[in-house]
Amino acid sequence: MFSKPEKRWVYIDRTVTEMNNIGVGSLAIVVIIAIFQGAVTTLQIAYQLISPLIAKPVIGSIVSDSSMLELAPTITCLVLAGKVGSHIASEIGTMRVSEQIDALEVMGINSSGYLALPKIIGGLIMIPLLVVISIFLSNLGGIIAGEASGILTSEEYLQGARESFLPYNLFFSLVKAFTYAFIITSVSAFHGYTTSGGALEVGASSTKAVVYSAVAILFSDYILAQILL
Amino acid sequence: MIELKDVRKSFDGVEVLRGISTRFETGKVNLVIGSSGHGKSVMMKCMVGLLNPTSGNVFYDDRDFTNLEYSQLRQVRQEIGMLFQGTALFDSLSVEENVEFALKMFTNMTKAERRDRVNFCLEQVDMAGVNAKFPAEISGGMKKRVGIARAIALDIKYLFCDEPNSGLDPVTSRLIDELLKQITEEFNITTIINTHDMKTVFDIGDDVVFIYKGTNEWDGKVKDIKNSGNEMLTNFIKASFFD
Ligand SMILES: Nc1ncnc2c1ncn2[C@@H]1O[C@H](COP(=O)(O)OP(=O)(O)OP(=O)(O)O)[C@@H](O)[C@H]1O
Ligand SMILES: [Mg+2]
């Protein structure tokens, strides 16, 4: 599908643009989701574990572990499937139905490579970065909620988080992030590229991109847990 | 010169092009006319490689376009400019970037050289000074002009235009026609224009191919078109005029 690029620097330029679109463009939503997700998880875990027999730091360790292993990568990427995926599919789909892709082809440009590659590479670089940010911020959200509600202090939270931290968990989280990044960008680019018809079909491709990416993410989530844990 | 040899194209078993053999000469405005749905656009897409003919061959100055290796195919494609019916300008790029696009992709020009070339092309189509505007910010006629400027950015040998006048007022149509004729003669390129505008035919046409139900029903010079003796063509021309 991908042949030798026409001009390397043009591709690098486009990849940087896509990194900006995907990374910087999604930062705000990722920040909000991560903080709330950490905060809510903390409150709910505390609610479920309400017993004098359980040490407070346990709450911190459960929240930080589940954020890293599942919530930060999966929830972040499900949201990105909606935001980034629909954007990619509608952008490429519009180019398809308005013959811009034909214009690229007539010029002798490998249109699938030209359009999809910078998005896929941009996603593979930026989405794991967003996931790492999300991991940090969900712990921050957990700490804030713990303090604010008086459930546990930040020292207790961090003690629990530190004690249960395993480098392997971070590795696992990043494997998920890379996998989801590839799924979101490639599935969406594919649905955009294969659009045919008009504006209505662009909308349909965009929806399909989001649904298929989301399902593929959940499916691979299960597979990865099966293989790597 | 572009030559078609028995080009056929079917979609799902329905034959849309039914064996077209014809020649388009260099330095001339070659017109392809015919009613809606008779295969003009499909023929043009087969010529530029956006569709693969079911059978038959397309030759670009003796290079068999239908059977070229990928690298040679790309070479030929860089000699092709195309103006799409809907212009197909890249809407995320400014006018200037649209024209510059192929220069960036295929030449080793410096930034300054590219800028000069872009301005030269925009001047050719009388669009100097709109460099920074985006396609969404300019009118349909201006888009066509920018489309032409983009098509001629590289030193092309072949220019394809699918209905360059559709959706334009008569005055703008004549200006676009004149522009295409002028570019054809100035750069000695093989220009092929799909149209159903008979005014275009008589104003700027050199040679004409009349497509009827997927075959080239009549080929010849514009001056012979009124006395072709071909019933279908005569009817087509009659329908275009009020008298
Ligand atoms: N991708 C396609 N799949 C199936 N059929 C097609 C496809 N493209 C064109 N056709 C059919 O081929 C026939 C010729 O279409 P074409 O677009 O070439 O007509 P045209 O002569 O360019 O008409 P117009 O003057 O309206 O542009 C039509 O019947 C059309 O339905
Ligand atoms: Mg057509």
Side-chain angles (χ1 to χ4, degrees), chain A residues 3-7 9-11 13 94-95 98-100 102-110 114, chain B residues 45 48 50 70 74 77-78 80 82 84-86 88-91 101 104-108 114 150:
Chain A
S3 70
K4 189 167 149 276
E6 282 74 18
K7 272 271 162 60
W9 63 269
V10 175
Y11 279 74
D13 204 50
T94 304
M95 293 188 73
S98 61
E99 296 184 314
Q100 293 175 53
D102 286 348
L104 289 171
E105 287 290 330
V106 169
M107 285 181 194
I109 288 164
N110 176 311
Y114 175 79
Chain B
K45 285 183 180 166
V48 299
L50 288 174
Y70 187 68
R74 276 187 29 171
R77 285 189 157 171
Q78 285 165 38
I80 296 177
M82 182 157 178
F84 286 83
Q85 190 162 348
L89 294 178
F90 303 124
D91 38 39
F101 186 81
K104 259 189 176 175
M105 294 305 266
F106 298 114
T107 71
N108 291 316
R114 290 202 305 267
R150 181 178 71 178

Side-chain angles (χ1 to χ4, degrees), chain B residues 126-195:
Chain B
D126 218 358
M127 284 287 290
V130 294
N131 302 39
K133 288 226 189 309
F134 281 83
E137 301 169 340
I138 59 178
S139 75
M142 290 160 95
K143 279 188 203 165
K144 297 270 184 187
R145 287 162 188 258
V146 175
I148 296 171
R150 181 178 71 178
I152 61 172
L154 296 175
D155 279 319
I156 58 162
K157 293 187 181 164
Y158 317 97
L159 178 62
F160 293 86
C161 305
D162 198 355
E163 313 213 3
N165 296 333
S166 65
L168 297 183
D169 68 82
V171 176
T172 312
S173 294
R174 299 293 78 84
L175 290 173
I176 297 284
D177 282 351
E178 282 311 316
L179 191 59
L180 291 172
K181 175 138 187 108
Q182 177 208 326
I183 287 169
T184 304
E185 287 171 358
E186 194 172 332
F187 303 109
N188 194 35
I189 51 190
T190 309
T191 298
I192 299 172
I193 302 176
N194 278 357
T195 186

Side-chain angles (χ1 to χ4, degrees), chain A residues 62-75:
Chain A
I62 294 178
V63 175
S64 66
D65 276 358
S66 54
S67 288
M68 189 178 298
L69 285 173
E70 174 68 10
L71 298 173
T74 309
I75 292 186

Side-chain angles (χ1 to χ4, degrees), chain B residues 36-37 39-42 85 162-163 194 196:
Chain B
S36 229
K40 301 185 297 296
S41 295
V42 172
Q85 190 162 348
D162 198 355
E163 313 213 3
N194 278 357
H196 17 201

Side-chain angles (χ1 to χ4, degrees), chain A residues 104-151:
Chain A
L104 289 171
E105 287 290 330
V106 169
M107 285 181 194
I109 288 164
N110 176 311
S111 61
S112 56
Y114 175 79
L115 293 172
L117 214 52
K119 292 184 198 298
I120 293 174
I121 294 172
L124 285 174
I125 296 171
M126 295 313 282
I127 291 177
L129 217 60
L130 289 172
V131 168
V132 169
I133 291 172
S134 169
I135 292 172
F136 272 103
L137 292 179
S138 52
N139 283 303
L140 182 68
I143 291 171
I144 293 171
E147 290 273 8
S149 61
I151 292 170

Side-chain angles (χ1 to χ4, degrees), chain A residues 164-178:
Chain A
S164 68
F165 174 77
L166 293 172
Y168 183 80
N169 290 354
L170 183 61
F171 164 77
F172 180 62
S173 189
L174 287 176
V175 170
K176 282 187 171 185
F178 278 111

